[in-house]
Short mmCIF file of all heavy atoms in Angstrom, two decimals:
data_model
loop_
_atom_site.label_atom_id
_atom_site.label_comp_id
_atom_site.label_asym_id
_atom_site.label_seq_id
_atom_site.Cartn_x
_atom_site.Cartn_y
_atom_site.Cartn_z
N HIS A 186 0.07 11.41 4.67
CA HIS A 186 -0.28 10.13 4.06
C HIS A 186 -0.63 9.13 5.16
O HIS A 186 0.01 9.12 6.20
CB HIS A 186 0.94 9.64 3.26
CG HIS A 186 0.80 8.26 2.70
ND1 HIS A 186 1.47 7.18 3.25
CD2 HIS A 186 0.09 7.76 1.67
CE1 HIS A 186 1.16 6.09 2.55
NE2 HIS A 186 0.33 6.43 1.60
N CYS A 187 -1.66 8.33 4.91
CA CYS A 187 -2.02 7.26 5.85
C CYS A 187 -2.43 6.04 5.04
O CYS A 187 -3.02 6.17 3.97
CB CYS A 187 -3.25 7.62 6.68
SG CYS A 187 -3.07 9.05 7.73
N HIS A 188 -2.10 4.86 5.54
CA HIS A 188 -2.63 3.63 4.91
C HIS A 188 -2.84 2.66 6.07
O HIS A 188 -1.89 2.31 6.76
CB HIS A 188 -1.63 3.08 3.89
CG HIS A 188 -1.99 1.72 3.39
ND1 HIS A 188 -2.95 1.50 2.43
CD2 HIS A 188 -1.54 0.48 3.75
CE1 HIS A 188 -3.06 0.20 2.21
NE2 HIS A 188 -2.22 -0.43 3.01
N ILE A 189 -4.07 2.22 6.28
CA ILE A 189 -4.33 1.45 7.50
C ILE A 189 -4.34 -0.06 7.29
O ILE A 189 -4.32 -0.82 8.26
CB ILE A 189 -5.65 1.89 8.18
CG1 ILE A 189 -6.83 1.82 7.20
CG2 ILE A 189 -5.49 3.28 8.79
CD1 ILE A 189 -8.19 2.09 7.87
N GLY A 190 -4.37 -0.51 6.05
CA GLY A 190 -4.38 -1.96 5.83
C GLY A 190 -5.04 -2.28 4.51
O GLY A 190 -5.38 -1.39 3.74
N SER A 191 -5.20 -3.57 4.28
CA SER A 191 -5.67 -4.02 2.98
C SER A 191 -6.86 -4.97 3.15
O SER A 191 -7.09 -5.49 4.24
CB SER A 191 -4.49 -4.74 2.30
OG SER A 191 -4.68 -4.86 0.92
N GLN A 192 -7.58 -5.20 2.03
CA GLN A 192 -8.77 -6.05 2.04
C GLN A 192 -9.73 -5.60 3.15
O GLN A 192 -10.20 -6.39 3.98
CB GLN A 192 -8.38 -7.54 2.17
CG GLN A 192 -9.53 -8.57 2.07
CD GLN A 192 -10.44 -8.36 0.86
OE1 GLN A 192 -10.09 -7.71 -0.10
NE2 GLN A 192 -11.63 -8.89 0.91
N ILE A 193 -10.03 -4.31 3.14
CA ILE A 193 -10.95 -3.73 4.13
C ILE A 193 -12.34 -3.67 3.49
O ILE A 193 -12.54 -3.07 2.44
CB ILE A 193 -10.49 -2.30 4.53
CG1 ILE A 193 -9.09 -2.37 5.14
CG2 ILE A 193 -11.50 -1.66 5.48
CD1 ILE A 193 -8.44 -1.02 5.35
N THR A 194 -13.29 -4.35 4.14
CA THR A 194 -14.64 -4.37 3.58
C THR A 194 -15.61 -3.61 4.49
O THR A 194 -16.74 -3.34 4.11
CB THR A 194 -15.14 -5.81 3.40
OG1 THR A 194 -14.88 -6.53 4.60
CG2 THR A 194 -14.41 -6.51 2.26
N ASP A 195 -15.15 -3.28 5.69
CA ASP A 195 -16.00 -2.59 6.64
C ASP A 195 -15.73 -1.08 6.52
O ASP A 195 -14.67 -0.59 6.90
CB ASP A 195 -15.63 -3.11 8.04
CG ASP A 195 -16.37 -2.40 9.14
OD1 ASP A 195 -17.16 -1.49 8.83
OD2 ASP A 195 -16.13 -2.75 10.31
N MET A 196 -16.70 -0.36 5.93
CA MET A 196 -16.47 1.07 5.65
C MET A 196 -16.24 1.88 6.92
O MET A 196 -15.71 2.99 6.87
CB MET A 196 -17.64 1.66 4.86
CG MET A 196 -17.73 1.18 3.43
SD MET A 196 -16.27 1.58 2.44
CE MET A 196 -15.81 -0.02 1.88
N SER A 197 -16.61 1.33 8.09
CA SER A 197 -16.43 2.11 9.32
C SER A 197 -14.93 2.34 9.59
O SER A 197 -14.57 3.33 10.23
CB SER A 197 -17.12 1.44 10.51
OG SER A 197 -16.46 0.26 10.82
N SER A 198 -14.07 1.45 9.09
CA SER A 198 -12.62 1.67 9.28
C SER A 198 -12.19 2.93 8.53
O SER A 198 -11.41 3.73 9.03
CB SER A 198 -11.82 0.48 8.76
OG SER A 198 -12.19 -0.68 9.44
N PHE A 199 -12.71 3.09 7.31
CA PHE A 199 -12.37 4.30 6.54
C PHE A 199 -12.99 5.54 7.19
O PHE A 199 -12.38 6.61 7.21
CB PHE A 199 -12.82 4.16 5.08
CG PHE A 199 -12.05 3.10 4.32
CD1 PHE A 199 -12.70 2.01 3.78
CD2 PHE A 199 -10.68 3.20 4.18
CE1 PHE A 199 -11.99 1.03 3.08
CE2 PHE A 199 -9.95 2.23 3.48
CZ PHE A 199 -10.61 1.14 2.94
N ARG A 200 -14.22 5.37 7.73
CA ARG A 200 -14.85 6.51 8.42
C ARG A 200 -13.95 6.95 9.57
O ARG A 200 -13.68 8.14 9.75
CB ARG A 200 -16.22 6.08 8.97
CG ARG A 200 -17.33 6.50 8.06
CD ARG A 200 -18.69 6.05 8.58
NE ARG A 200 -19.30 5.28 7.52
CZ ARG A 200 -19.79 4.06 7.61
NH1 ARG A 200 -19.78 3.42 8.76
NH2 ARG A 200 -20.29 3.46 6.55
N ASN A 201 -13.48 5.98 10.37
CA ASN A 201 -12.62 6.32 11.51
C ASN A 201 -11.33 6.99 11.04
O ASN A 201 -10.82 7.90 11.70
CB ASN A 201 -12.30 5.07 12.33
CG ASN A 201 -13.54 4.54 13.01
OD1 ASN A 201 -14.53 5.27 13.20
ND2 ASN A 201 -13.53 3.26 13.35
N LEU A 202 -10.83 6.54 9.91
CA LEU A 202 -9.60 7.14 9.37
C LEU A 202 -9.84 8.61 9.02
O LEU A 202 -9.04 9.49 9.35
CB LEU A 202 -9.13 6.36 8.14
CG LEU A 202 -7.97 6.96 7.36
CD1 LEU A 202 -6.71 7.05 8.24
CD2 LEU A 202 -7.65 6.13 6.10
N VAL A 203 -10.97 8.89 8.37
CA VAL A 203 -11.26 10.27 7.97
C VAL A 203 -11.39 11.15 9.22
O VAL A 203 -10.84 12.27 9.28
CB VAL A 203 -12.54 10.35 7.12
CG1 VAL A 203 -12.87 11.80 6.79
CG2 VAL A 203 -12.40 9.55 5.84
N ILE A 204 -12.10 10.62 10.22
CA ILE A 204 -12.30 11.41 11.45
C ILE A 204 -10.94 11.73 12.08
O ILE A 204 -10.66 12.86 12.50
CB ILE A 204 -13.23 10.65 12.43
CG1 ILE A 204 -14.64 10.60 11.82
CG2 ILE A 204 -13.23 11.28 13.82
CD1 ILE A 204 -15.57 9.60 12.45
N ARG A 205 -10.04 10.73 12.07
CA ARG A 205 -8.71 10.95 12.65
C ARG A 205 -7.93 11.99 11.84
O ARG A 205 -7.26 12.87 12.38
CB ARG A 205 -7.96 9.59 12.70
CG ARG A 205 -6.57 9.61 13.30
CD ARG A 205 -6.52 10.13 14.73
NE ARG A 205 -7.47 9.50 15.62
CZ ARG A 205 -7.29 8.34 16.26
NH1 ARG A 205 -6.17 7.69 16.11
NH2 ARG A 205 -8.21 7.86 17.06
N VAL A 206 -8.03 11.90 10.53
CA VAL A 206 -7.29 12.85 9.68
C VAL A 206 -7.85 14.27 9.87
O VAL A 206 -7.08 15.24 9.90
CB VAL A 206 -7.29 12.40 8.20
CG1 VAL A 206 -6.82 13.50 7.27
CG2 VAL A 206 -6.40 11.17 8.04
N ASN A 207 -9.16 14.40 10.04
CA ASN A 207 -9.73 15.73 10.35
C ASN A 207 -9.09 16.30 11.61
O ASN A 207 -8.74 17.48 11.66
CB ASN A 207 -11.25 15.63 10.54
CG ASN A 207 -12.01 15.47 9.22
OD1 ASN A 207 -11.48 15.82 8.16
ND2 ASN A 207 -13.21 14.96 9.28
N GLU A 208 -8.92 15.43 12.61
CA GLU A 208 -8.31 15.90 13.88
C GLU A 208 -6.85 16.31 13.66
O GLU A 208 -6.40 17.34 14.15
CB GLU A 208 -8.34 14.78 14.94
CG GLU A 208 -9.73 14.44 15.45
CD GLU A 208 -9.75 13.08 16.19
OE1 GLU A 208 -8.68 12.46 16.37
OE2 GLU A 208 -10.84 12.66 16.57
N ILE A 209 -6.14 15.45 12.89
CA ILE A 209 -4.72 15.74 12.65
C ILE A 209 -4.56 17.07 11.94
O ILE A 209 -3.70 17.89 12.27
CB ILE A 209 -4.06 14.59 11.84
CG1 ILE A 209 -4.06 13.29 12.66
CG2 ILE A 209 -2.64 14.95 11.40
CD1 ILE A 209 -3.61 12.04 11.90
N GLN A 210 -5.46 17.31 10.96
CA GLN A 210 -5.39 18.59 10.22
C GLN A 210 -5.54 19.77 11.17
O GLN A 210 -4.86 20.78 11.03
CB GLN A 210 -6.53 18.68 9.21
CG GLN A 210 -6.35 17.85 7.99
CD GLN A 210 -6.80 18.62 6.75
OE1 GLN A 210 -6.07 19.47 6.26
NE2 GLN A 210 -7.99 18.33 6.28
N GLU A 211 -6.46 19.63 12.12
CA GLU A 211 -6.67 20.75 13.06
C GLU A 211 -5.43 20.98 13.90
O GLU A 211 -5.02 22.12 14.15
CB GLU A 211 -7.88 20.47 13.94
CG GLU A 211 -9.17 20.86 13.23
CD GLU A 211 -10.42 20.42 13.94
OE1 GLU A 211 -10.39 20.23 15.18
OE2 GLU A 211 -11.45 20.26 13.24
N GLU A 212 -4.81 19.86 14.32
CA GLU A 212 -3.59 20.00 15.13
C GLU A 212 -2.48 20.68 14.32
O GLU A 212 -1.75 21.53 14.83
CB GLU A 212 -3.09 18.63 15.60
CG GLU A 212 -3.92 18.07 16.75
CD GLU A 212 -3.65 16.59 16.99
OE1 GLU A 212 -2.52 16.13 16.74
OE2 GLU A 212 -4.60 15.90 17.42
N LEU A 213 -2.39 20.30 13.05
CA LEU A 213 -1.34 20.90 12.21
C LEU A 213 -1.61 22.39 12.00
O LEU A 213 -0.71 23.22 12.07
CB LEU A 213 -1.27 20.19 10.86
CG LEU A 213 -0.77 18.74 10.90
CD1 LEU A 213 -0.77 18.12 9.52
CD2 LEU A 213 0.64 18.66 11.48
N GLU A 214 -2.88 22.72 11.78
CA GLU A 214 -3.21 24.13 11.57
C GLU A 214 -2.92 24.95 12.82
O GLU A 214 -2.49 26.10 12.74
CB GLU A 214 -4.67 24.26 11.14
CG GLU A 214 -4.82 23.93 9.65
CD GLU A 214 -6.26 23.68 9.22
OE1 GLU A 214 -7.15 23.66 10.09
OE2 GLU A 214 -6.48 23.49 8.03
N ALA A 215 -3.15 24.33 13.98
CA ALA A 215 -2.85 25.02 15.24
C ALA A 215 -1.35 25.34 15.32
O ALA A 215 -0.94 26.27 15.99
CB ALA A 215 -3.28 24.15 16.42
N ARG A 216 -0.53 24.54 14.61
CA ARG A 216 0.92 24.81 14.57
C ARG A 216 1.27 25.72 13.39
O ARG A 216 2.44 25.89 13.06
CB ARG A 216 1.68 23.51 14.34
CG ARG A 216 1.67 22.57 15.48
CD ARG A 216 2.30 21.26 15.03
NE ARG A 216 2.90 20.59 16.18
CZ ARG A 216 4.17 20.70 16.52
NH1 ARG A 216 5.01 21.40 15.81
NH2 ARG A 216 4.63 20.10 17.59
N GLY A 217 0.26 26.19 12.68
CA GLY A 217 0.50 27.10 11.55
C GLY A 217 0.86 26.37 10.26
O GLY A 217 1.41 26.96 9.34
N ILE A 218 0.58 25.07 10.22
CA ILE A 218 0.93 24.30 9.01
C ILE A 218 -0.32 24.00 8.20
O ILE A 218 -1.29 23.44 8.72
CB ILE A 218 1.60 22.96 9.40
CG1 ILE A 218 2.88 23.22 10.19
CG2 ILE A 218 1.88 22.09 8.17
CD1 ILE A 218 3.49 21.99 10.80
N THR A 219 -0.32 24.39 6.91
CA THR A 219 -1.42 23.96 6.03
C THR A 219 -0.89 22.91 5.08
O THR A 219 0.26 22.97 4.64
CB THR A 219 -2.02 25.13 5.22
OG1 THR A 219 -0.97 26.01 4.89
CG2 THR A 219 -3.11 25.84 5.95
N ILE A 220 -1.75 21.98 4.79
CA ILE A 220 -1.35 20.80 4.03
C ILE A 220 -2.00 20.86 2.65
O ILE A 220 -3.20 21.05 2.56
CB ILE A 220 -1.83 19.54 4.81
CG1 ILE A 220 -1.05 19.39 6.12
CG2 ILE A 220 -1.74 18.29 3.99
CD1 ILE A 220 0.38 19.02 5.96
N GLU A 221 -1.17 20.69 1.60
CA GLU A 221 -1.74 20.75 0.23
C GLU A 221 -2.41 19.45 -0.19
O GLU A 221 -3.34 19.45 -0.98
CB GLU A 221 -0.60 20.98 -0.79
CG GLU A 221 0.02 22.34 -0.80
CD GLU A 221 1.36 22.29 -1.54
OE1 GLU A 221 1.42 21.72 -2.64
OE2 GLU A 221 2.35 22.81 -0.99
N ASN A 222 -1.84 18.32 0.28
CA ASN A 222 -2.31 17.02 -0.19
C ASN A 222 -2.62 16.07 0.96
O ASN A 222 -1.80 15.91 1.86
CB ASN A 222 -1.23 16.34 -1.04
CG ASN A 222 -0.88 17.16 -2.25
OD1 ASN A 222 -1.61 17.18 -3.23
ND2 ASN A 222 0.23 17.89 -2.18
N LEU A 223 -3.78 15.44 0.87
CA LEU A 223 -4.11 14.38 1.84
C LEU A 223 -4.14 13.08 1.06
O LEU A 223 -4.84 12.97 0.05
CB LEU A 223 -5.50 14.61 2.46
CG LEU A 223 -5.71 15.92 3.19
CD1 LEU A 223 -7.18 16.03 3.63
CD2 LEU A 223 -4.80 16.01 4.41
N ASN A 224 -3.39 12.08 1.53
CA ASN A 224 -3.35 10.79 0.82
C ASN A 224 -3.84 9.71 1.79
O ASN A 224 -3.27 9.53 2.87
CB ASN A 224 -1.91 10.53 0.35
CG ASN A 224 -1.80 9.25 -0.46
OD1 ASN A 224 -2.60 8.33 -0.30
ND2 ASN A 224 -0.81 9.16 -1.32
N PHE A 225 -4.88 9.00 1.38
CA PHE A 225 -5.49 8.00 2.26
C PHE A 225 -5.06 6.57 1.96
O PHE A 225 -5.66 5.62 2.45
CB PHE A 225 -7.02 8.13 2.20
CG PHE A 225 -7.50 9.37 2.89
CD1 PHE A 225 -7.71 10.54 2.19
CD2 PHE A 225 -7.68 9.37 4.27
CE1 PHE A 225 -8.10 11.70 2.83
CE2 PHE A 225 -8.07 10.53 4.93
CZ PHE A 225 -8.29 11.70 4.21
N GLY A 226 -4.04 6.38 1.13
CA GLY A 226 -3.55 5.04 0.86
C GLY A 226 -4.57 4.22 0.08
O GLY A 226 -5.41 4.74 -0.65
N GLY A 227 -4.47 2.91 0.24
CA GLY A 227 -5.40 2.01 -0.46
C GLY A 227 -6.22 1.25 0.55
O GLY A 227 -6.57 1.77 1.59
N GLY A 228 -6.53 0.01 0.21
CA GLY A 228 -7.17 -0.86 1.21
C GLY A 228 -8.55 -1.36 0.89
O GLY A 228 -9.04 -2.29 1.53
N LEU A 229 -9.23 -0.77 -0.11
CA LEU A 229 -10.60 -1.21 -0.39
C LEU A 229 -10.60 -2.70 -0.76
O LEU A 229 -9.86 -3.13 -1.64
CB LEU A 229 -11.20 -0.37 -1.52
CG LEU A 229 -12.61 -0.79 -1.97
CD1 LEU A 229 -13.62 -0.66 -0.83
CD2 LEU A 229 -13.06 0.01 -3.18
#
Side-chain angles (χ1 to χ4, degrees):
H186 173 255
C187 298
H188 170 79
I189 54 173
S191 198
Q192 185 49 19
I193 300 170
T194 48
D195 176 359
M196 290 299 124
S197 68
S198 300
F199 293 119
R200 262 178 235 126
N201 292 339
L202 173 62
V203 177
I204 292 165
R205 181 58 51 83
V206 167
N207 284 339
E208 291 165 4
I209 295 172
Q210 284 221 79
E211 277 171 24
E212 284 166 30
L213 293 178
E214 281 165 355
R216 290 172 152 265
I218 299 171
T219 35
I220 292 291
E221 288 163 48
N222 299 283
L223 301 175
N224 183 334
F225 288 93
L229 177 62

